[in-house]
Amino acid sequence: MNEEKEIEEQPTPLVLQKLEEQHADALLSQDETRGTTVVVVRKEQAYAVLEYLKTDPELAYSFLVDITAVDNSQMESELMQFDYARFMVVYQLYSYQGQCRVRVKVPVHENDLNIPSVTGLWRGANWLERETYDMFGINFEGHPDLRRILMPDDFEGHPLQKDYPLRGRGERESFNFDEQNV
C-alpha cells in the first residue's frame, strides 16, 4: 500500500506577499521558521523595508521587540550565502494588529560596519542599538547618542565578536570598577 500523502501547502504570509510586491529587489532570502517569517534584506534598503513594515496599515509592525547581531565568522555556509558578510543585524518586530512576528536580518560586512539607525521609527531602538554597538561594534549611522552602554567607555574591543578571546584580555585584573564607569 503506497499511498502518497499530499503535503498541504501553507498560504504565503501576508508580510511576504506585500514585501514581494513593494520591495522584491531588497529581499535576499525568505523563510518561515517556527511560526515566524524571516527575511534577509540588502543593507542599502533595510531602512526602507523596516519603515514599510511599520507604516503599512495592513501589516502595522509597530512594536520593535529587539535588535541584536550575530557574528557568522565561524559559519562558512552562512558566510557564503550572503557574500561573506561577517555580521547579521537582526530586527525582531511584532504586529499587534495581525498578532504575528517578523524577523528582518541585514548582512553587514566587516569592512563596512555602518547601518542606518531606526531610532526615527522606534524610540525604543535607542538602547538596543547602543547595546549592539557596544557588544558587536556595529555603527548605527544617525543614532542620537551612540556610545557604550554595558562596557566602560575606555574598554577596548567588542566582547560578542567571535575573535574576542574567551578568557578576555586581562579585564578582571585591569577593569576599573570605580563609579566613573557606572
Side-chain angles (χ1 to χ4, degrees):
M1 220 169 148
N2 286 339
E3 290 182 29
E4 288 186 31
K5 290 184 179 179
E6 284 189 36
I7 298 173
E8 189 177 315
E9 275 193 47
Q10 297 291 335
T12 304
L14 177 63
V15 64
L16 285 181
Q17 291 173 12
K18 295 199 63 120
L19 283 174
E20 286 171 358
E21 291 170 11
Q22 299 295 320
H23 292 281
D25 57 330
L27 298 177
L28 295 172
S29 115
Q30 55 194 18
D31 195 12
E32 188 75 21
T33 305
R34 296 182 179 164
T36 299
T37 302
V38 180
V39 294
V40 180
V41 301
R42 298 180 195 286
K43 181 170 80 166
E44 300 78 23
Q45 295 159 300
Y47 187 89
V49 169
L50 292 164
E51 182 178 38
Y52 176 73
L53 289 170
K54 180 181 181 187
T55 60
D56 181 89
E58 287 183 272
L59 298 176
Y61 285 95
S62 59
F63 180 47
L64 174 66
V65 178
D66 195 16
I67 300 173
T68 190
V70 177
D71 183 347
N72 291 324
S73 62
Q74 297 176 0
M75 298 175 67
E76 189 68 24
S77 62
E78 284 289 316
L79 288 169
M80 287 175 33
Q81 188 175 3
F82 299 108
D83 193 32
Y84 287 89
R86 176 177 174 178
F87 298 98
M88 193 70 75
V89 176
V90 182
Y91 300 85
Q92 302 274 11
L93 307 176
Y94 183 76
S95 171
Y96 290 109
Q97 179 177 305
Q99 295 186 352
C100 55
R101 298 177 185 276
V102 66
R103 182 177 305 130
V104 179
K105 296 179 172 185
V106 182
V108 176
H109 287 83
E110 187 173 19
N111 59 357
D112 182 13
L113 294 174
N114 299 312
I115 189 167
S117 171
V118 294
T119 54
L121 296 174
W122 295 281
R123 288 181 52 202
N126 189 324
W127 285 34
L128 299 170
E129 288 180 352
R130 285 180 60 191
E131 179 181 2
T132 304
Y133 163 75
D134 198 2
M135 296 289 105
F136 290 95
I138 306 294
N139 181 38
F140 292 90
E141 293 177 325
H143 189 282
D145 186 23
L146 193 61
R147 58 189 164 102
R148 290 200 179 268
I149 192 169
L150 299 172
M151 306 305 293
D153 293 334
D154 60 348
F155 187 85
E156 293 181 26
H158 303 281
L160 292 183
Q161 289 187 357
K162 296 286 185 192
D163 55 1
Y164 192 81
L166 288 177
R167 295 190 182 262
R169 296 185 177 123
E171 284 93 3
R172 294 197 63 72
E173 294 81 23
S174 63
F175 194 85
N176 184 352
F177 290 99
D178 293 338
E179 290 287 323
Q180 66 190 20
N181 288 322
V182 178

